[in-house]
Structure formats: C-alpha cells, structure tokens
Amino acid sequence: METSIDPSFSNTSYETSAPVIRFDNVGMRYDQGPEVLRDLSFDLPRGSFQFLTGPSGAGKTSLLRLIYLAARPSSGRISFFGRDTATLSREELPHLRRRIGVVFQEFRLLNHLSVFDNAALPLRVAGKKRSDYAEDVAELLAWVGLGDKMKANPATLSGGEQQRVAIARAVVAQPEILIADEPTGNVDSEMAMRLLRLFVELNKLGTTIIFATHDLQLVRLLDAPVMSLAEGHVHIRAPRSQRQAEYQRAEDEAAAGHREAFEDIGRPPLDSPDGAERDE
Amino acid sequence: METSIDPSFSNTSYETSAPVIRFDNVGMRYDQGPEVLRDLSFDLPRGSFQFLTGPSGAGKTSLLRLIYLAARPSSGRISFFGRDTATLSREELPHLRRRIGVVFQEFRLLNHLSVFDNAALPLRVAGKKRSDYAEDVAELLAWVGLGDKMKANPATLSGGEQQRVAIARAVVAQPEILIADEPTGNVDSEMAMRLLRLFVELNKLGTTIIFATHDLQLVRLLDAPVMSLAEGHVHIRAPRSQRQAEYQRAEDEAAAGHREAFEDIGRPPLDSPDGAERDE
Amino acid sequence: MSEFEIPPPPKGGAGALLPPDAGRDRPLFIVAAILVFLACIAALGARGAWQQSQRWTEDLQTSLTVQVRPVEGGSASEDAQRAADIAAAMDGVANATARDRAHAERLIAPWLGTENIPDDLPLPLIVEIRLEPGIEAPLDALREAFDEAGINASVDDHSRWADAVRGAATRSQTLALALLALLAGAAAAVVAFASRASLAARVDVIDALHLCGAEDRYIAILFQRRFFMLGLKSGAVGAIIAVIVSLLVGTGSQAADASFFLPSWENNPFEFLLLAIAPLLAGATAALSARLAVITDLGRRW
Amino acid sequence: MSEFEIPPPPKGGAGALLPPDAGRDRPLFIVAAILVFLACIAALGARGAWQQSQRWTEDLQTSLTVQVRPVEGGSASEDAQRAADIAAAMDGVANATARDRAHAERLIAPWLGTENIPDDLPLPLIVEIRLEPGIEAPLDALREAFDEAGINASVDDHSRWADAVRGAATRSQTLALALLALLAGAAAAVVAFASRASLAARVDVIDALHLCGAEDRYIAILFQRRFFMLGLKSGAVGAIIAVIVSLLVGTGSQAADASFFLPSWENNPFEFLLLAIAPLLAGATAALSARLAVITDLGRRW
Ligand SMILES: Nc1ncnc2c1ncn2[C@@H]1O[C@H](COP(=O)(O)OP(=O)(O)OP(=O)(O)O)[C@@H](O)[C@H]1O
Ligand SMILES: Nc1ncnc2c1ncn2[C@@H]1O[C@H](COP(=O)(O)OP(=O)(O)OP(=O)(O)O)[C@@H](O)[C@H]1O
Ligand SMILES: [Mg+2]
Ligand SMILES: [Mg+2]
C-alpha cells in the first residue's frame, strides 16, 4: 500500500481562493424518479483538485451533470463564479460552457470527425483559426499517445484510445473548470498515471478539477480532497496530508477485508447442469 | 499486495479437456492498416478461465472480436470446437454465436428495450417463451444489483449499471464460451468482485471464460492463466500456483516503480499563463 | 417469483425489437401517403378517361346517319321513309327513323336563316339508324340496298368523330398511366433507400441481434414487417384522401372536357377494388423493397 | 511543427461538423426531387393552359363574322361589299373582307350537297372582319351602321366560343395551381419532419457541440445550410427533369385538346425564370423549415 505524498502537490493551495462552484442544499431527481442527490452543500475553491468517488449508481455522473450544466437541480442552488445558475439564460450558457471542459464517461466523440478534429472541437466552436491551434492540438495528442492516430476515425480506436481523445478535447481549451468522469476507466495503470499527470499540470496552471474515479490506487497518488457519494449524500475527506493517521488505518482494514469479502459474496443464481448445486 | 490463492479455484481443471478455441498463426489487420495481431497461436481448453491483459490499444478487443466471430483473421486459422471458422457459412453463424456470450467494452445495449428485455435478448432470439425465462432473468438481474431497475431504459442507467446489464445479457443463456471485454471497468471494486464471482460460478458450470481487464487487483484474486498482449504478440502466463516465486518478484518491482514512474513521466504540453514553464 | 417485478411483455411482440424511431419514419410516411394519393388520382383519372371515351364512342358507334337526297322526279320524304324501312329490316339494326323536311330545315337554319328557304329547295332528309350494341355497322350492306332501291343516300358511321374521341382518351390515359408508373417507381425507390438508411441507422441494433445469435431471416422479417405496416398505413391514408378528393370533384359542376382528365368517383367495383388494393400494394412494395435491401446489406457482412 | 502530421482541414468547412449521413438523406433527396418535378410540371401546365387559352381567345376576340342576307330586290354580293366597306372605315377595324357566293356554297355543301343548290337560292354571304388587337369589338356601332345602310346583317363576336375556351382554361389552371399548392405544402412538411428527425438522430452531435460551447444559432446554421443545399440540389434535379419532360412532350405530335393540359416548353422568360427559381424556392423552403424546427427543438432544452 503506498501512502507517500507526492511532493509536487504540496505547493498547490486548496483553500485560499474564492469558490468557483458552490452547492447550497442541492437536490436532484430524474423526472418522477427518486432523489438521486439529496441536500448537497459544498464549495469548490478556485484551483482545487477534487476526487469524486462512490459506488456504481451513487450519483457521481449526476453530480457532474449538474456542474457541467447538462442538468438543473430539482431543489437548492448552484452558483458558478458567484453567479446563481437558476438565473442563467439560454444565451449565456455557451459562454459559461466554454470555461468548462468535460470528459464524459461514455466519451461522446463525433465519429464523423477525425481524432484531430474531435480534439480541436472546442477551439473551432469558439471561432479560433485552424492554423492557430493546429500545432498545440497535435502536441497534446502526442502527449496522450495518439500522435500517430490523428487522422483516424474515433470509431476505429480502442476503448482507451477513445478515452484519451475525450481527455484531449476536454483540456485543449485550458478551461477554468475541468470535469472528468472516470477518465481512466479504460486505460492501463501506466497510461492512467500519465493522464493524471496531465490533469495535475493543468491544475497547477489554475484549473479547478473534479475527477470522478473508482480507481483508489490513483486517488492515493495525490494528496487531494476526496468527495465520496453514498445514498445521495456527500462526504468530503480532507487531503491525505491532513488525515494521515486515520486514513492508514481504514485502508489497511479494507485491504484485509478484500479477499474475505470475495468469498463472502455468495453464489450467483446460475443453473448448474445437474441442478444440484443451485441454492434457491 | 495480496498473493494468496483462492481455494475455490484449485479444483478447476485448466488443462484436462480438448480445446474449444484454437488459434494457429493468426494475424489480423483492419483494412489497409498495420497488423494489430501477429502470428498468435494458442489453445483455450474447455472450461478454462483465462485473463487477457495488455496496454491500451494492444489489441485485446481485436482478439476478442476474432473469438466472438465479429471479425475474420487476415491470416492463420481459428477453430471452434474443432471446426475451422474459415469454412463457416453465414447460415451456420447464428447457431455458433448462440454458444458464445459477449460483454462488450461499450456495452451495446438496446436503448429502446427495457433492462429486462435487454438481458433476455439471447433467449428471445433463440425462440424461448417469455414465461419460461422471466423468473431466471429477474433473479440474475437481482444478483447483479439491478432488481429494482428491470423496467428502466438502459439509457437512464449509470455507467456501472449499464455494464451490469451487459454482463447479465452475456451470461443469461449460459453460453459455452463467455467473452468479457473489461466487464468491470465502470464499477467499484466491491461490485467488481461480485461480478467476478458470477464469472467464476459460470466457469465452474463448464463455461470457458476469457476475461479482458486492466484491473490487476482483480487478476490477482484468481489462480488463472493470464494472456498478455503487447505489440501484436501474446504471452501466456501459467496460473499463479505454477509460478508463485517469479510472479512475486515481478510484482514487487512494479509496485516499487509505481510512484517513481509517475514522477518520471515528465510534463504534458500545456501553455502556462506566463508561457515560462513550457518546455518545448 | 414474488420479490422481483417482471416487466410486462413489450407491446407489438417481436416487432418491438426494432426501435420505434418515432420521428424518423414520419417524413417517409407522409411521402408515401402523398405518392399513393397521387397514384390513386392518376389511376382514377386513367379510369375516368377510359370510361368517358367508352361512353362516347359507344354512343357514336351504335348510331348511323343516312342523308337521303331527292332524285330527279322522286319524293325525298318517300325515299327517306323507304330507306328507313330497308334499314329497319336489316340484321343488327334496332330501329331506323326518317326525319321530315322541317328537321332538315332546322339543321341548315344557321346558314340560311329560316325565311330564306324556298319551298322547292331540294333539301336532303336525314334517317337516323340505331344499331344493336356490339354489332359491326353494316355499312356496305346498307349502301348496296339503297343503291338497289334507287335511293341517293350517303351513310355516315361517325368514324371520324369516334376516332378523335378515342385518340384523346388514349392520350389522356397514357398520360395518367405514365404518371402512375412514375409514382410507383418513386415509391419503391424511396422505400428501398429508406430501409437501407434505416438499416444503417440501426446498425447497432443489428449487431446486437446478430451477436445474440439472430439469423438474417429473423432480422429481415423485422424490417419487412415494419415497412409493410408503414406502406399499408400511408397507403390507406393516401387512398382515402384520393377518394375524398374524387368525391368532391365528382359533386362539383364541371364541363365535360375537364372531367375528361379529372378523377371522378363512380360507385362501382373498380373504384372499391382500387381503394382496397392501393394500401396493400403500397405495403407489399415497401415490404419487398425493404427485404431486398436488408438481405443484400446483411449478406455483405461476415 | 514537423514531428506531427496535422490532418488537412475537413472538406466543406464548418458544414462538416454535421455527419454526412450518407444514405439517410437520400430518400429525402429523391422525394424532394419528385415533389419539385411534379410542382414544375404543374406550374408549366398551368402556364401552358393559360397561354393556350390566351392564344385562342385572342384569335376569337380579334375577329368578327358578319352574315349578310339578301334583301328583297337587292344584290347580296353588293350588300356584302358595302358592309365590308362600312366596317373597314370604322375605328379599330384592321381589315374587312367580303366573301363571295362560292364561299357561302362551300359552307352549306355538307348539308345540301353541291349539285342541289339552285342558282337563285338566296344564300347569305359572309364578311370577315379583323380587329386591331386589344380593341373592344364595336358591335353596336357596326349593327347601327348596317341598319342605316339598309343591310340585313347579323354580327357574331364568337363570345360563346371564347367563354367556353376561357372556362376550360380557368378550370385546368385552377387544377394545376391546386396541385402546385399541395406539392409545396407536402415538400415543406416533409422537410420539417425530416430536419426534426435528423436533429433527433444527431442528438449526440448536438450535445457534444453544446457542451463544447456552441450557440443555438451556430447549430441552427449547420442544419439550415445542409437542408438548403439538399433542397437546392434536389430542386435542380427535379426542375431539369421537368424541363426535359416538357421538351419531349412539346416535340411529340399531339392533338390540341391534350396539349391543353400538358406542360410544354416555350422558349420564353417565364420558363427560364421557373427553372431558375424552383431550386432556390425548394432550398429556401427546406432551410426555413429546418431552421424553425431546430430552433424550436433546441429552445426546449436547458
Ligand atoms: N437520465 C436518467 N433518467 C433516470 N434515471 C437516471 C438517469 N441517469 C441516471 N439515473 C439514475 O440515477 C442514479 C445515479 O446515476 P449516476 O449515473 O449519477 O451514477 P454514477 O455514480 O455515475 O454511477 P457509475 O459509477 O456506475 O457511473 C442511478 O440509479 C441511475 O439509474
Ligand atoms: N475498426 C477498426 N479499424 C481500424 N483500426 C482499428 C479498429 N479497431 C481498432 N483498431 C486499432 O487496432 C488497435 C487495437 O485496438 P483494440 O481495440 O483491439 O485495443 P485494446 O487492446 O482493446 O485497447 P483498450 O484497452 O484501449 O480497449 C488500436 O490501435 C486501434 O486503433
Ligand atoms: Mg457514472
Ligand atoms: Mg478494448
């Protein structure tokens, strides 16, 4: 179990500046469904790096959807840069969205555009000239390991390659807020580290980052606060440096319980050929 | 680092029966592209459980596509149950495919059908009566934690929930071969273990399983052989029980190198506001 | 089975395996309805022209007109009466009527006025002969008989008029049938393209079905059924609108020449057959077109 | 920038942001082309009917026929010549020609035969008057002048025929214009539905663009441009086929009554205008329809 603190992060200030995002008693439900998120209140300071974890279906993606303005809360208030989102008009949305970069869990690449054009999309939509950004985009794609796939159709890429295009697209315009929904779910751990490094660098340049992931190994690499969602509620853990002792204890317990838990799970409902082994 | 052997797997015989799948010098390329897979030769014995790993873009999905008959090799020979696939006619395909279950990396659920109908699809296509399978499908969905989402539209599920529907669909007909492409990429580690348990049970009932994953923690839970793909070539590691010593050494090295590696990665190409930190 | 709530079976049975694609088929529906509507109008028009020309030519074909000119020293009205008797005695003649001098005077009144005609002007008199239907006009026999009887008569079988009417009818019918063929071709092409596009748009569904072990036949039937239903429904809508329009046109007052080209609703089996067959034909065209497109496309895989 | 190969800019500039959706737009293209073709045919037909009727009624309206009957003790041919002179002297009359007795005999020959007419039969003679174009026929003035001169003449302005021709023309024109309206409405409806469906089918693209900060206007323009191009292209194809068909019909031999309803290509500005305007009109309809549909749909989000 590695618990060491990466020294490159100690100088990042997490609590100094005004919040870029503030949630006040936010609740959210889909249509007539049950409340997915309940009564969330938190601030994300400018320039912070925030992990978001929680079991599958806990509402991580839903929370991120609120932040990237793809959904509205059913109750409570969300403010961006001090501005209440409820008062936003349709016309103001695009400009706010250009300050936010998003990596979607399902990538959402445009299969009729090349990898290069996908990555360059936010710049193009913002009206930038191709000749101005071509070099930067190419360099970024090379960094995520896609230097030789720039002309490819995203549909012909492997899962991990697609994920990296999605990441390149999200960071290319160096947004003020970067929202990443499991950005490393489809890549091996070496590439995951490489990508995390990209986020860290962006964070150092001032971008507020929210990074949803199931990969606890990755979480452990950074000394950043961790929001965990469970049953609609959020719990924010301070950065590891602030809670070294308790963390160590909890993690050790979890590791010990790991194999035990696997055996305790029980038998799934499968028909055995002879029908004898089935537990009803 | 846990290295213990799960006792429940020690009685599974990996090398006893005839191969269900045999690859003979198989090569594969997409259109005019470079060879993604080169000269693969291996046997998968009946009832074996095989992990498949490799870096992103190594060709895991491509190899699986060959196995689930969605693609043809550009060279070499693949046989199923002793039958050369090159001699298969279009008419024979559906019947062979019914003996194979697949979990796709991108899920491929049908969004116009309910979760229940998605999971039941292979049974329905095979002409089974709804009343005969309704109970089994519901029980299976409950096992993967979707008992209360059976009527939902897959598009409204979280990433992890969709993945579990895909798994339910793949196993529902208890196929002879089960191919899973990163079936736990979108779920938390507890759910991943639960799902692995499902595969293990299926394997015990005689299904040959090929499980592609990046999650080395999961790989470590089972004492099963591991195929790793790199640069088009495959390397098969015997089950852990057979190579305990060397494995331990390699893993320890990897763990030690983990943090070091992260720092060694270097800086991604991002413009810093003052332009000074940029390394060209 | 109590703790789980199993969802009810989907409506429409196996058809539901294809996504309903709400809006996407709507333009196709409208287009198909328009094409069927126009096709029905064209068919009714062709039918109308044919019927009208049948009616007119029948009228012309079953009547003959004989002009009896007075011969030196004879009485024109006597000759006319004799001619009528000779004609009436012939096979195939239903009746023959000799018209008097007053009738002849009325005929030339537009040219000469009524007061200007001297009583001794030797006017030719008219004998009208009506034939039994379906009989070839016995022109030669009549002429011979008149010659033998010493009557100076000329026989007119209206063939000049009948030819003109028939010609016009044939032209308008050809026009309508060409339109019909154009529309049918267009409809088939549209459905073929649409089903191919629909296949391409649902390639994910097809893939999923294939990999779940579905056969090509199984998938083709899904598409075929959907497009049959689409053709049937839009065909029914188009045909019904066509009937309504033709009823409206039929009740409006109109000159004969216009009605020659307009569809009109005649309350007879042909129209009912057309109404009944149009949607089926549209459905069958759509289904066949879809099946061919799907089977061809699927055959290219693997 | 040397180590990376930057892909060339996409063809078609910003338009390429929407997927080309190869097959999916093809049925729409065909349908639009068919609709434009039929609309052009209808427009050419309406135009043809109008022109034909103009030509005929002009013919009829610029000529008068006078029947001069012999009066007791006078000479018919002298009267006819006098009538022609009187008419020729009138304002608005281009020329007046008196026809002789031989001409009158030819006119009644079908009724009386040629040998039967006694030389002393008082035949009415015809005076043909041709008016200057655009002049109201001076019927009353002519009648008065003839009365004064003691000529027994009746003047016919052909109004009965002209009315019939005009009526037929109006009917066929109305028919063609109704068809035109139907087709235009159908085309607009089809495009509206299609663009809405196309929007729904590309909701992923829209979402991605939105989340990259694209404005509604930006997206609407993408759709608008695509459907304008589609309308333009299919309109051009439809119009060109219509021209070809009308040229073919125009060269074929045909009876006057059929040509009354058939489009025919007259080498004049109206036809060129129609050819030029039809694709633009189709494009504009499509673009407007698409823009409205997209803006409405997008407005419902957020
Ligand atoms: N569009 C939707 N309509 C209705 N319910 C939805 C919708 N999207 C998500 N949900 C439900 O909301 C809950 C939270 O989903 P969410 O996607 O936020 O989970 P998550 O934390 O991202 O999970 P995962 O780790 O599996 O991606 C789930 O139970 C899901 O079924
Ligand atoms: N349809 C395709 N056409 C062309 N190239 C393809 C296609 N699919 C995959 N490739 C290429 O083949 C290589 C192997 O892809 P594959 O999807 O098999 O990798 P993978 O091992 O599954 O990676 P990941 O872990 O990221 O899913 C990649 O470089 C990819 O770009
Ligand atoms: Mg999620
Ligand atoms: Mg893959």
Side-chain angles (χ1 to χ4, degrees):
Chain A
M1 228 33 67
E2 325 135 47
T3 52
S4 61
I5 301 158
D6 180 2
S8 58
F9 287 93
S10 46
N11 59 353
T12 314
S13 57
Y14 287 115
E15 303 290 349
T16 52
S17 36
V20 284
I21 302 170
R22 153 165 270 158
F23 272 53
D24 272 327
N25 301 310
V26 170
M28 183 196 175
R29 63 172 82 238
Y30 289 99
D31 300 325
Q32 310 310 325
E35 263 196 328
V36 175
L37 300 176
R38 252 174 263 143
D39 216 30
L40 302 193
S41 296
F42 59 83
D43 286 350
L44 293 189
R46 190 182 297 276
S48 63
F49 193 118
Q50 191 86 37
F51 280 115
L52 177 61
T53 62
S56 173
K60 295 182 296 299
T61 301
S62 305
L63 175 55
L64 297 183
R65 279 165 63 85
L66 290 177
I67 301 181
Y68 61 72
L69 298 168
R72 286 169 182 259
S74 39
S75 64
R77 219 161 57 97
I78 302 177
S79 346
F80 275 86
F81 309 108
R83 176 78 194 275
D84 186 349
T85 57
T87 68
L88 277 176
S89 72
R90 252 193 96 65
E91 283 66 42
E92 292 170 288
L93 274 185
H95 304 283
L96 192 51
R97 282 203 180 119
R98 288 185 196 165
R99 301 166 73 176
I100 306 173
V102 193
V103 184
F104 300 98
Q105 194 168 8
E106 345 78 81
F107 317 149
R108 302 215 201 160
L109 301 177
L110 302 184
N111 283 336
H112 62 287
L113 296 180
S114 68
V115 164
F116 178 90
D117 283 328
N118 265 283
L121 194 58
L123 301 172
R124 183 167 168 189
V125 163
K128 295 239 168 71
K129 279 229 298 292
R130 189 182 174 87
S131 53
D132 291 342
Y133 60 69
E135 214 171 313
D136 292 344
V137 172
E139 210 178 342
L140 179 60
L141 284 172
W143 169 264
V144 298
L146 295 173
D148 56 338
K149 300 258 179 197
M150 281 195 283
K151 290 182 192 170
N153 177 336
T156 69
L157 297 184
S158 79
E161 287 164 347
Q162 291 187 24
Q163 193 154 44
R164 286 176 269 157
V165 179
I167 291 172
R169 182 177 68 183
V171 305
V172 73
Q174 301 204 11
E176 294 172 54
I177 303 174
L178 179 65
I179 296 160
D181 200 356
E182 308 219 23
T184 59
N186 285 273
V187 297
D188 51 290
S189 60
E190 199 186 325
M191 182 49 78
M193 283 197 289
R194 194 175 173 85
L195 295 173
L196 182 59
R197 181 83 201 191
L198 180 65
F199 288 106
V200 166
E201 287 302 320
L202 209 59
N203 179 239
K204 278 195 196 151
L205 297 176
T207 300
T208 308
I209 291 180
I210 304 143
F211 191 112
T213 185
H214 287 124
D215 188 344
L216 295 179
Q217 245 181 327
L218 220 50
V219 171
R220 271 176 231 132
L221 279 175
L222 293 197
D223 184 21
V226 178
M227 293 172 72
S228 24
L229 270 177
E231 293 173 6
H233 294 290
V234 71
H235 170 244
I236 303 190
R237 261 188 339 201
R240 199 182 326 133
S241 50
Q242 296 177 20
R243 53 174 176 80
Q244 192 68 45
E246 28 171 340
Y247 174 88
Q248 184 60 56
R249 205 174 336 111
E251 287 291 313
D252 285 351
E253 268 167 35
H258 202 53
R259 245 211 42 251
E260 249 166 70
F262 183 62
E263 279 158 40
D264 285 352
I265 285 168
R267 301 258 327 286
L270 295 170
D271 291 323
S272 60
D274 50 356
E277 291 184 61
R278 175 94 176 262
D279 48 2
E280 290 295 79
Chain B
M1 226 40 59
E2 323 138 47
T3 52
S4 61
I5 300 158
D6 180 5
S8 58
F9 287 92
S10 46
N11 57 353
T12 314
S13 58
Y14 287 113
E15 304 289 351
T16 50
S17 36
V20 284
I21 301 170
R22 153 165 271 158
F23 273 53
D24 273 328
N25 302 310
V26 170
M28 182 197 176
R29 63 173 81 239
Y30 288 100
D31 299 326
Q32 310 309 327
E35 262 197 329
V36 174
L37 300 175
R38 250 174 266 143
D39 215 29
L40 302 192
S41 297
F42 59 83
D43 285 352
L44 293 189
R46 190 180 296 276
S48 64
F49 193 117
Q50 191 85 35
F51 280 115
L52 177 61
T53 62
S56 172
K60 298 183 293 301
T61 302
S62 305
L63 176 55
L64 298 184
R65 280 165 63 84
L66 290 176
I67 301 181
Y68 63 70
L69 298 169
R72 287 169 182 259
S74 38
S75 65
R77 221 162 57 97
I78 302 176
S79 350
F80 276 86
F81 310 107
R83 177 76 192 274
D84 186 350
T85 57
T87 68
L88 277 176
S89 71
R90 252 194 96 64
E91 283 64 44
E92 291 169 288
L93 274 186
H95 304 281
L96 192 50
R97 283 203 179 118
R98 287 184 196 164
R99 301 165 74 174
I100 306 174
V102 192
V103 184
F104 301 97
Q105 195 170 6
E106 346 78 80
F107 316 150
R108 303 213 199 162
L109 301 176
L110 302 184
N111 283 335
H112 62 287
L113 296 180
S114 68
V115 164
F116 179 91
D117 282 327
N118 265 283
L121 194 58
L123 301 172
R124 184 166 166 192
V125 164
K128 296 240 167 70
K129 278 229 300 290
R130 189 182 173 86
S131 53
D132 291 342
Y133 60 69
E135 214 171 312
D136 292 343
V137 172
E139 211 178 340
L140 178 61
L141 285 171
W143 168 264
V144 299
L146 295 173
D148 56 340
K149 300 259 179 197
M150 280 195 285
K151 289 182 191 169
N153 178 335
T156 69
L157 297 184
S158 81
E161 287 164 349
Q162 291 186 23
Q163 193 154 46
R164 286 176 269 159
V165 179
I167 291 172
R169 182 177 68 185
V171 305
V172 73
Q174 302 203 11
E176 291 172 56
I177 303 175
L178 179 65
I179 295 161
D181 200 355
E182 308 218 27
T184 59
N186 284 274
V187 298
D188 50 291
S189 60
E190 199 186 325
M191 181 50 77
M193 282 198 290
R194 195 176 173 86
L195 294 174
L196 182 59
R197 180 84 202 189
L198 179 64
F199 288 104
V200 166
E201 285 303 320
L202 209 59
N203 179 241
K204 279 198 194 146
L205 296 177
T207 300
T208 308
I209 291 180
I210 303 142
F211 191 110
T213 185
H214 287 125
D215 189 344
L216 296 179
Q217 247 183 327
L218 220 52
V219 171
R220 270 175 230 132
L221 279 175
L222 293 197
D223 184 22
V226 178
M227 293 172 70
S228 27
L229 270 177
E231 294 174 4
H233 294 291
V234 72
H235 170 243
I236 304 189
R237 263 190 335 204
R240 198 181 326 134
S241 49
Q242 296 177 21
R243 54 174 175 82
Q244 193 69 44
E246 32 173 336
Y247 175 86
Q248 184 62 54
R249 204 174 338 109
E251 286 290 311
D252 284 351
E253 266 166 38
H258 202 52
R259 242 210 43 250
E260 247 166 76
F262 185 59
E263 279 156 44
D264 286 350
I265 284 167
R267 304 255 329 281
L270 294 170
D271 290 322
S272 60
D274 51 356
E277 292 184 61
R278 176 89 174 267
D279 47 5
E280 290 297 76
Chain C
M1 196 67 253
S2 61
E3 76 235 74
F4 313 117
E5 217 184 329
I6 298 174
K11 273 165 281 162
L17 277 184
L18 282 186
D21 79 342
R24 210 176 300 166
D25 277 355
R26 238 177 338 177
L28 195 65
F29 177 86
I30 294 185
V31 165
I34 290 176
L35 291 175
V36 172
F37 164 71
L38 292 173
C40 284
I41 291 287
L44 285 173
R47 161 76 172 172
W50 184 75
Q51 273 186 322
Q52 192 69 277
S53 83
Q54 278 303 95
R55 233 175 282 129
W56 288 351
T57 53
E58 195 174 327
D59 237 42
L60 291 170
Q61 271 170 345
T62 56
S63 71
L64 294 175
T65 309
V66 181
Q67 238 184 14
V68 179
R69 297 205 186 76
V71 286
E72 207 52 52
S75 150
S77 53
E78 260 174 39
D79 279 1
Q81 194 52 53
R82 272 203 299 141
D85 293 345
I86 290 170
M90 283 221 152
D91 275 355
V93 174
N95 59 57
T97 319
R99 298 294 181 186
D100 57 11
R101 186 172 166 93
H103 176 261
E105 280 180 4
R106 272 202 304 284
L107 278 179
I108 59 164
W111 307 107
L112 300 183
T114 37
E115 324 97 65
N116 282 320
I117 303 168
D119 283 351
D120 60 346
L121 178 71
L123 281 180
L125 301 186
I126 301 294
V127 176
E128 280 168 10
I129 299 176
R130 193 146 284 280
L131 301 175
E132 269 153 15
I135 289 291
E136 177 83 31
L139 293 179
D140 292 340
L142 275 174
R143 288 195 185 114
E144 235 165 75
F146 293 151
D147 275 357
E148 266 171 32
I151 302 171
N152 179 5
S154 66
V155 183
D156 178 10
D157 64 351
H158 307 155
S159 62
R160 207 160 37 102
W161 299 107
D163 284 354
V165 168
R166 256 197 303 271
T170 308
R171 269 191 304 278
S172 67
Q173 219 178 335
T174 310
L175 193 69
L177 290 178
L179 193 61
L180 194 64
L182 176 75
L183 293 167
V190 164
V191 169
F193 280 127
S195 62
R196 208 161 250 146
S198 156
L199 191 70
R202 290 183 196 83
V203 83
D204 50 334
V205 178
I206 309 302
D207 270 349
L209 290 175
H210 259 153
L211 292 168
C212 285
E215 286 143 2
D216 287 359
R217 210 160 17 94
Y218 189 89
I219 294 171
I221 287 174
L222 294 179
F223 277 88
Q224 200 178 327
R225 196 179 310 165
R226 145 155 320 173
F227 281 95
F228 178 74
M229 286 315 292
L230 186 136
L232 196 66
K233 282 187 206 153
S234 57
V237 168
I240 287 169
I241 296 180
V243 168
I244 292 172
V245 166
S246 67
L247 281 175
L248 288 181
V249 168
T251 56
S253 66
Q254 42 177 304
D257 57 342
S259 82
F260 203 79
F261 291 86
L262 282 180
S264 70
W265 180 255
E266 319 267 338
N267 222 356
N268 73 20
F270 179 84
E271 270 79 8
F272 285 115
L273 194 70
L274 180 70
L275 172 65
I277 227 173
L280 287 177
L281 225 58
T285 308
L288 193 72
S289 195
R291 181 181 188 89
L292 287 179
V294 170
I295 290 280
T296 317
D297 268 23
L298 289 182
R300 262 190 234 116
R301 297 166 159 229
W302 181 231
Chain D
M1 196 71 251
S2 60
E3 77 235 75
F4 313 118
E5 219 184 327
I6 299 176
K11 274 164 283 166
L17 277 184
L18 282 186
D21 78 345
R24 211 177 298 166
D25 277 355
R26 237 174 344 176
L28 195 63
F29 178 85
I30 294 185
V31 165
I34 291 175
L35 291 176
V36 172
F37 164 71
L38 292 174
C40 285
I41 291 288
L44 285 174
R47 160 78 172 172
W50 184 75
Q51 274 187 322
Q52 191 71 277
S53 83
Q54 278 302 94
R55 233 175 282 128
W56 288 353
T57 54
E58 196 176 323
D59 237 43
L60 292 171
Q61 271 169 347
T62 57
S63 70
L64 294 175
T65 307
V66 182
Q67 238 184 16
V68 179
R69 294 207 186 75
V71 286
E72 206 52 53
S75 150
S77 52
E78 261 171 40
D79 279 1
Q81 194 52 53
R82 274 201 300 141
D85 292 345
I86 290 170
M90 284 221 151
D91 275 356
V93 173
N95 58 59
T97 316
R99 300 291 182 187
D100 58 10
R101 186 175 166 92
H103 176 260
E105 279 181 2
R106 273 204 301 283
L107 278 179
I108 59 165
W111 306 108
L112 298 184
T114 38
E115 326 94 68
N116 280 324
I117 304 169
D119 283 350
D120 59 346
L121 178 70
L123 280 181
L125 301 185
I126 301 292
V127 176
E128 282 168 7
I129 299 177
R130 193 146 284 279
L131 302 174
E132 268 153 16
I135 289 289
E136 175 83 28
L139 293 179
D140 291 341
L142 275 173
R143 284 192 188 118
E144 234 166 74
F146 293 151
D147 274 358
E148 265 170 34
I151 302 172
N152 179 8
S154 64
V155 183
D156 178 11
D157 65 351
H158 308 153
S159 61
R160 209 162 36 102
W161 298 107
D163 284 353
V165 168
R166 257 198 301 273
T170 308
R171 269 192 306 278
S172 70
Q173 220 177 334
T174 311
L175 193 69
L177 290 178
L179 192 61
L180 194 64
L182 176 75
L183 294 168
V190 165
V191 171
F193 281 127
S195 62
R196 206 160 253 145
S198 156
L199 192 70
R202 288 179 198 88
V203 83
D204 50 335
V205 178
I206 309 301
D207 269 349
L209 289 175
H210 259 156
L211 292 168
C212 285
E215 287 143 0
D216 287 359
R217 211 160 16 95
Y218 189 90
I219 295 172
I221 287 174
L222 294 179
F223 276 90
Q224 201 176 324
R225 195 178 311 166
R226 145 156 316 176
F227 280 97
F228 178 75
M229 288 313 295
L230 186 134
L232 197 67
K233 282 187 206 152
S234 57
V237 169
I240 287 170
I241 296 179
V243 168
I244 292 172
V245 166
S246 66
L247 281 174
L248 289 180
V249 167
T251 56
S253 66
Q254 41 176 307
D257 57 341
S259 82
F260 204 78
F261 292 87
L262 282 181
S264 70
W265 180 254
E266 317 269 337
N267 222 354
N268 72 20
F270 179 85
E271 271 78 9
F272 284 115
L273 194 72
L274 181 72
L275 172 65
I277 226 173
L280 287 178
L281 226 58
T285 308
L288 192 73
S289 196
R291 181 180 187 89
L292 286 179
V294 170
I295 290 281
T296 318
D297 268 24
L298 290 183
R300 262 190 233 117
R301 297 167 160 227
W302 180 230

